[in-house]
Amino acid sequence: MNKLTKASLFLLGFIVLGLILNYFLNSYIHAILISFMINAVMALSLNFITGLADQFSLGHAGLMAVGAYTSAIISKELLSDQWYFIPLTVVAAGFASAVLGFLVSLPSFKLKGDYLAIVTLGMAEIVRVLILNWNHVGGPRGYNAIVKFPGFLWSYSFGLLVLTITFVTFFRLKKSWFGRNLWALNEDDIAAEVMGLDLVKAKRSAFIISSFFAGVGGGVYAHHLGYISPGSFSFLISVQILIMAVLGGLGSMSGSILAAFILTILPELLRSLPTGTVDIRMIVYPVILICMMIVRPQGLLGRLELIEYFRMKKWIKS
Amino acid sequence: MENIISVKDLSIQFGGLKAVDQVSFAIQKNEIFGLIGPNGAGKTTVFNILSGFYQADSGEIIFADKNINDLKPHAVNELGIARTFQNIRLFKGLSVIENVIVALQQREKHTWFDSLLETEKFYRTEKLLYEHSIELLKIFELDRFKDHFANSLPYGAQRKLEIVRALATKPSLLMLDEPAAGMNHSEKAELNDLIRFVKDKFHLTILIIEHDMKVVMNICNRIAVLHRGKKIAEGIPAHIKSSPEVIEAYLGKRQT
Amino acid sequence: MEEFFQHTLNGLSFGSIYALVALGYTMVYGILGMINFAHSEIYMMGAFMCYYFALFMGFSAPSPINFTLGLLAASLAAGMIGYLVEKFAYKPLRNSPKMNSLITAIGVSILFQFGGQIIFGANPKSFPTLIEDKNLFEIAGSQIHLIDLLIYGVSALALVGLHFVIYRTQTGRAMRAVSTRSDMTPLMGIDNNKIISMTFIVGSVLAGIAAVLVSIKYPKIDPMMGSKIGMSAFVAAVFGGIGSLHGAIIGGLLLGVGEYYLIGYGASTYRDALSFSVLIFILLFKPTGLFGSKMKEKI
């Protein structure tokens, strides 16, 4: 079965799935599904820089915010709310975040240490404060009436397209020479340098690519919810994305998708618990995080991809 | 005979300690040059400066007619200097062949485009990388270990692999940091042959730090001796062996 | 001009708080190489433990005794919580990659924030008046309040105490040794675990003191109060050079004063962004901060 046939079959499968979901489930579940896709894109983006390149980023909410606001502004101001331009605005969102990522990467990789964590933390905070004070986009009240896709099938298809592109990109990069460079950098950066690997360039590239997709995620988010505010991009969001990446396994792309799925569904199940006004997720998530770090820090799949994981299990059993 | 690298008045200080003090030497093309001295003499520090990890406080390094003082390690390697480490820095979690591939691929031009779309060119390049790595491993009889984890190899093989990896970056100057450490007698003899073989086959110049006198005296064309950061002697092995300064540095002053 | 002086005084007052909290971050980073995200929550717990202590003791009228007891209660509670967090959440990860500790620290921080909201209630509480404020005297047109003097005084005392511990006691010497070569210290008969615990306790005690000092000036406390000051204090620590005690103190003071100038001269909504902008600026030009040093890795 060659590649084209495989791809076509997958495509067919997802179209059929989409049709089924559209007719048999309600809009509440539709929304959750799109949410899952957005979360998966964000988790993949973070996993690439934090899991593969081993550079801790705490500011992905900030990158997401830049993407969301960029695409929203373009939709509203430049393209007069036409929904068929949404993909364009999402791509623009990616580029905007990539530029921010580039700027952030300039001071962050000069020295060894957790500088990226600190700088991204600061970046996200600065972005949030700037948006909060920018009345043109609503300031603290948020940016409203952003155009959405005219129906579940459209947003489902678009979301799926974005998720697939994101996943395939990261998956193939991981397999390629770039992924090997990142692994070498992780294993022993001094040895890697001595073989001609430009560490700073590699880390920067990884971060810029990661930022691009974080922006894309933000763009999709803006057009899914139709409303964005600085509050939607707080540090806690960065942490939630981190939890997904960690749960799936830092370094495993398919793991991030799995974890995004689990952690998008889980809160819906927890909704029924009585905790007053406090979001119970904020208790469950940290507990998961802490326990995992102590008991199973590699998360579900570690660095392996789903397919490698099954192969390994088969090999161990034999 | 032209010099491939010349070091002039190299100095570096750490806090109050002058680790390398006005060291000068020049290595000729295709020779094997030894750098010896008691522990703490500054030999590895010189290596670290030459390979770009430390910036010397003063002095200059001319390699292939270029001043390489301020170059970062990867740039130094791109110019043609490769090195190994005292305590073997292999990529432990990678297989033997992956270790070589990572080194080889630094010289290949890949594009993002080809990797993302997995074009014909991508598959060709990957195949070539793989085949070249096998060829290289074959020369050193390590190809049968190609899929083993690098750190599962016997010690001597690990050292060999580190050298293979360094060679994959196509250097003109190869710097070996105590390659005989931890080896037994027969392994050391093998090492001598290996170094000579590598030098001839790959047309290299070799700079070697070594403590084992049998290895040093056997293969080096010339030797420089460091003591407490300063160069105290330089010359052919016979000369060094009988030099009173060198003996004193190693054994202390003769009590009469 | 007198406005400037007023802002400077306020800034120094806040800056000393930043300094006290920043020390906790810097000490833990110096000795373990990790950013203790949960430190700000230990600060918060200091305030709350003092609150409940005052309630339990039935403090009604403000008095110096109440103040001192409250301070002690907060210090003790904070110190103990810091010790427990280290013991149960960080110690198991000491041999794991650094990122794991960072992630755990974030988890602990969030757990305390939201757990605090559930246990204490999310609404701000009124911190008891432990000591009565008085307008003491005037310098250059600014009123000097007793509370501000207390803040300066207690902070200064705490810093002197810290200096004494670090530079004049055996434990302090051991702490300095462990933060430079923790691989060698066991060979000198130093129990690394004890020293690391000690570091956490000392940092947490300082945070507890800072919390009480802040709460007597701004008596609204809530479970999220740690995160705002935590970020600024952390920035101060990095600004001063993470790992450097003097850096943390100077960084804290400078940042406090800087923020107050912003507030005073009208740009208060950008206050939160100031600290981070300063940070990024510093990282661009002097990444090791004011007093930090580049650690040369042994190759």
Side-chain angles (χ1 to χ4, degrees):
Chain A
M1 203 191 324
N2 74 7
K3 267 218 179 146
L4 203 55
T5 326
K6 244 202 224 171
S8 319
L9 271 176
F10 261 117
L11 191 61
L12 197 63
F14 280 118
I15 293 178
V16 170
L17 183 66
L19 289 169
I20 297 176
L21 290 170
N22 193 23
Y23 290 118
F24 289 103
L25 295 174
N26 58 41
S27 59
Y28 178 61
I29 303 202
H30 289 170
I32 296 179
L33 222 57
I34 308 288
S35 252
F36 149 65
M37 290 183 201
I38 297 173
N39 286 340
V41 168
M42 295 308 298
L44 282 169
S45 150
L46 182 62
N47 202 346
F48 191 64
I49 186 69
T50 298
L52 281 185
D54 198 35
Q55 300 297 310
F56 206 20
S57 167
L58 286 175
H60 262 55
L63 295 168
M64 191 179 181
V66 165
Y69 274 87
T70 304
S71 73
I73 293 173
I74 295 181
S75 264
K76 285 183 78 136
E77 321 257 327
L78 297 176
L79 297 174
S80 36
D81 294 330
Q82 306 291 355
W83 65 266
Y84 34 84
F85 281 128
I86 292 181
L88 194 66
T89 67
V90 166
V91 170
F95 280 109
S97 294
V99 167
L100 179 59
F102 169 71
L103 291 173
V104 165
S105 72
L106 287 177
S108 310
F109 299 120
K110 281 196 207 164
L111 288 183
K112 302 205 171 147
D114 296 315
Y115 287 104
L116 184 70
I118 301 171
V119 175
T120 48
L121 196 59
M123 172 268 286
E125 189 60 13
I126 293 175
V127 164
R128 199 184 58 85
V129 167
L130 287 177
I131 295 178
L132 203 62
N133 287 299
W134 191 8
N135 286 313
H136 186 68
V137 293
R141 290 164 294 122
Y143 209 28
N144 218 331
I146 307 173
V147 66
K148 303 194 213 185
F149 279 111
F152 172 69
L153 273 182
W154 284 108
S155 42
Y156 166 82
S157 311
F158 182 62
L160 198 61
L161 181 67
V162 168
L163 180 55
T164 308
I165 293 178
T166 309
F167 176 71
V168 168
T169 302
F170 285 133
F171 190 81
R172 287 191 173 170
L173 281 179
K174 178 182 172 187
K175 226 176 28 158
S176 73
W177 60 274
F178 187 68
R180 284 194 290 260
N181 275 350
L182 289 182
W183 190 314
L185 193 159
N186 257 340
E187 283 275 323
D188 193 331
D189 53 351
I190 290 175
E193 266 197 295
V194 130
M195 294 185 318
L197 173 54
D198 187 340
L199 295 184
V200 174
K201 194 159 129 191
K203 292 179 196 175
R204 272 202 194 134
S205 310
F207 191 68
I208 293 173
I209 298 174
S210 168
S211 306
F212 178 83
F213 284 101
V216 163
V220 177
Y221 176 81
H223 292 281
H224 166 58
L225 242 57
Y227 164 73
I228 52 179
S229 73
S232 345
F233 303 108
S234 63
F235 177 63
L236 290 175
I237 300 291
S238 291
V239 175
Q240 285 182 29
I241 303 173
L242 178 66
I243 294 179
M244 285 183 232
V246 170
L247 176 63
L250 283 176
S252 167
M253 298 299 127
S254 37
S256 290
I257 298 187
L258 203 60
F261 187 74
I262 297 174
L263 289 176
T264 312
I265 303 297
L266 186 67
E268 302 308 320
L269 302 174
L270 291 174
R271 243 179 233 286
S272 48
L273 292 175
T275 51
T277 51
V278 177
D279 192 350
I280 192 71
R281 282 184 298 173
M282 287 301 138
I283 303 288
V284 174
Y285 283 177
V287 170
I288 293 178
L289 211 50
I290 299 172
C291 292
M292 262 212 302
M293 283 296 110
I294 297 180
V295 171
R296 199 187 157 88
Q298 71 270 43
L300 290 172
L301 296 177
R303 247 180 171 233
L304 300 174
E305 296 300 329
L306 214 51
I307 196 163
E308 294 166 351
Y309 183 73
F310 286 130
R311 275 200 204 128
M312 200 180 74
K313 282 237 130 141
K314 246 198 329 195
W315 179 79
I316 291 176
K317 283 213 179 95
S318 66
Chain B
M1 238 326 182
E2 57 186 284
N3 288 335
I4 191 174
I5 187 169
S6 70
V7 173
K8 273 206 202 77
D9 297 330
L10 207 61
S11 298
I12 195 172
Q13 201 162 336
F14 292 120
L17 178 70
K18 251 205 150 106
V20 175
D21 195 354
Q22 303 278 91
V23 169
S24 305
F25 58 87
I27 306 179
Q28 291 165 2
K29 258 206 180 130
N30 270 25
E31 77 171 326
I32 301 183
F33 193 91
L35 194 59
I36 67 174
N39 274 321
K43 313 182 293 289
T44 302
T45 311
V46 169
F47 260 36
N48 289 340
I49 299 175
L50 291 182
S51 50
F53 286 101
Y54 296 158
Q55 255 24 52
D57 294 331
S58 61
E60 66 173 11
I61 310 164
I62 311 278
F63 176 73
D65 296 326
K66 281 202 195 61
N67 184 321
I68 65 168
N69 282 31
D70 296 322
L71 289 185
K72 295 231 279 242
H74 67 89
V76 169
N77 182 249
E78 274 168 29
L79 277 186
I81 301 181
R83 69 167 287 183
T84 62
F85 292 92
Q86 214 168 335
N87 37 349
I88 305 185
R89 284 180 176 263
L90 287 176
F91 298 126
K92 298 198 189 71
L94 295 178
S95 70
V96 167
I97 191 164
E98 280 170 340
N99 267 270
V100 181
I101 289 180
V102 173
L104 262 183
Q105 75 181 24
Q106 302 307 323
R107 292 288 174 274
E108 306 277 336
K109 275 300 157 204
H110 302 254
T111 63
W112 300 89
F113 194 64
D114 292 310
S115 309
L116 283 177
L117 297 177
E118 292 193 348
T119 58
E120 270 294 313
K121 181 156 176 233
F122 168 75
Y123 285 111
R124 253 185 294 131
T125 329
E126 293 284 295
K127 190 154 174 263
L128 274 176
L129 268 180
Y130 190 80
E131 285 170 0
H132 285 164
S133 305
I134 302 253
E135 273 172 38
L136 209 51
L137 285 172
K138 269 212 185 94
I139 299 175
F140 295 86
E141 287 163 17
L142 289 172
D143 54 307
R144 59 200 166 98
F145 294 121
K146 66 176 166 67
D147 292 320
H148 295 208
F149 278 123
N151 61 344
S152 69
L153 254 52
Y155 189 75
Q158 283 191 32
R159 281 229 174 265
K160 251 206 250 177
L161 179 59
E162 225 202 349
I163 295 177
V164 171
R165 215 178 47 170
L167 290 171
T169 62
K170 301 194 176 68
S172 43
L173 171 65
L174 177 62
M175 308 202 302
L176 301 172
D177 195 345
E178 299 201 29
M183 286 187 174
N184 64 33
H185 196 73
S186 61
E187 284 172 335
K188 283 184 190 167
E190 256 184 64
L191 181 71
N192 285 352
D193 293 333
L194 180 72
I195 294 179
R196 282 199 209 96
F197 165 72
V198 152
K199 181 191 92 136
D200 292 330
K201 182 157 176 82
F202 295 91
H203 311 294
L204 298 173
T205 310
I206 298 191
L207 171 61
I208 174 170
I209 292 178
E210 195 34 75
H211 273 299
D212 188 310
M213 286 304 141
K214 285 200 201 70
V215 170
V216 171
M217 295 299 163
N218 202 307
I219 59 170
C220 293
N221 301 113
R222 287 190 302 137
I223 302 172
V225 187
L226 293 188
H227 183 46
R228 296 213 188 111
K230 290 195 169 74
K231 186 177 82 170
I232 59 171
E234 181 180 335
I236 60 171
H239 171 204
I240 296 293
K241 233 197 278 208
S242 52
S243 153
E245 293 91 358
V246 176
I247 297 175
E248 183 181 329
Y250 274 99
L251 299 176
K253 222 172 163 87
R254 200 189 179 111
Q255 302 289 331
T256 39
Chain C
M1 189 52 207
E2 47 183 63
E3 236 186 62
F4 176 79
F5 193 63
Q6 181 74 57
H7 291 320
T8 312
L9 283 181
N10 281 337
L12 281 177
S13 166
F14 225 83
S16 17
I17 305 290
Y18 282 161
L20 288 176
V21 180
L23 280 166
Y25 284 117
T26 225
M27 284 169 75
V28 168
Y29 192 87
I31 212 166
L32 276 185
M34 77 170 273
I35 303 173
N36 181 12
F37 275 100
H39 188 55
S40 46
E41 273 53 61
I42 295 178
Y43 159 91
M44 177 269 288
M45 290 299 279
F48 273 86
M49 291 298 108
C50 181
Y51 171 85
Y52 283 110
F53 174 75
L55 229 62
F56 173 73
M57 298 286 281
F59 286 165
S60 45
S63 77
I65 299 182
N66 289 3
F67 174 66
T68 316
L69 285 178
L71 211 57
L72 279 173
S75 313
L76 241 80
M80 196 153 69
I81 296 174
Y83 170 74
L84 291 172
V85 164
E86 193 273 321
K87 184 168 178 160
F88 291 113
Y90 302 155
K91 190 154 153 201
L93 298 174
R94 226 170 284 151
N95 293 321
S96 311
K98 249 190 291 139
M99 197 182 285
N100 294 14
S101 307
L102 265 175
I103 295 177
T104 307
I106 294 179
V108 172
S109 167
I110 296 187
L111 190 60
F112 269 93
Q113 281 179 23
F114 288 91
Q117 279 197 335
I118 293 186
I119 299 178
F120 306 141
N123 291 322
K125 292 191 169 10
S126 269
F127 197 77
T129 326
L130 292 176
I131 193 156
E132 213 175 276
D133 195 12
K134 285 197 242 329
N135 260 346
L136 287 185
F137 44 84
E138 229 183 79
I139 295 181
S142 316
Q143 296 287 347
I144 308 290
H145 301 258
L146 173 67
I147 286 192
D148 288 318
L149 270 188
L150 265 182
I151 293 181
Y152 297 142
V154 175
S155 312
L157 222 74
L159 291 176
V160 166
L162 180 73
H163 193 267
F164 180 77
V165 167
I166 301 279
Y167 291 103
R168 294 291 175 87
T169 64
Q170 243 188 19
T171 312
R173 197 168 32 227
M175 283 164 84
R176 281 181 286 142
V178 173
S179 70
T180 37
R181 292 296 301 270
S182 57
D183 52 336
M184 296 297 286
T185 44
L187 299 174
M188 319 236 166
I190 294 177
D191 182 353
N192 280 3
N193 287 333
K194 281 218 185 79
I195 296 301
I196 292 175
S197 299
M198 202 60 202
T199 310
F200 271 88
I201 294 176
V202 170
S204 305
V205 162
L206 291 173
I209 294 175
V212 171
L213 291 177
V214 165
S215 307
I216 56 174
K217 184 162 179 167
Y218 304 100
K220 282 261 175 286
I221 63 171
D222 74 279
M224 301 304 215
M225 65 189 277
S227 49
K228 286 236 290 253
I229 196 177
M231 293 242 188
S232 296
F234 176 66
V235 168
V238 176
F239 175 42
I242 193 129
S244 154
L245 296 178
H246 299 120
I249 299 173
I250 307 264
L253 291 173
L254 284 177
L255 198 66
V257 170
E259 279 190 7
Y260 258 86
Y261 288 155
L262 260 192
I263 295 180
Y265 295 116
S268 62
T269 43
Y270 292 95
R271 174 186 178 181
D272 293 331
L274 168 73
S275 39
F276 279 108
S277 309
V278 161
L279 178 71
I280 293 181
F281 191 75
I282 283 277
L283 286 179
L284 271 173
F285 296 108
K286 194 166 196 297
T288 44
L290 293 175
F291 295 97
S293 54
K294 221 190 218 194
M295 288 294 280
K296 283 214 158 84
E297 193 177 341
K298 178 109 175 99
I299 296 177

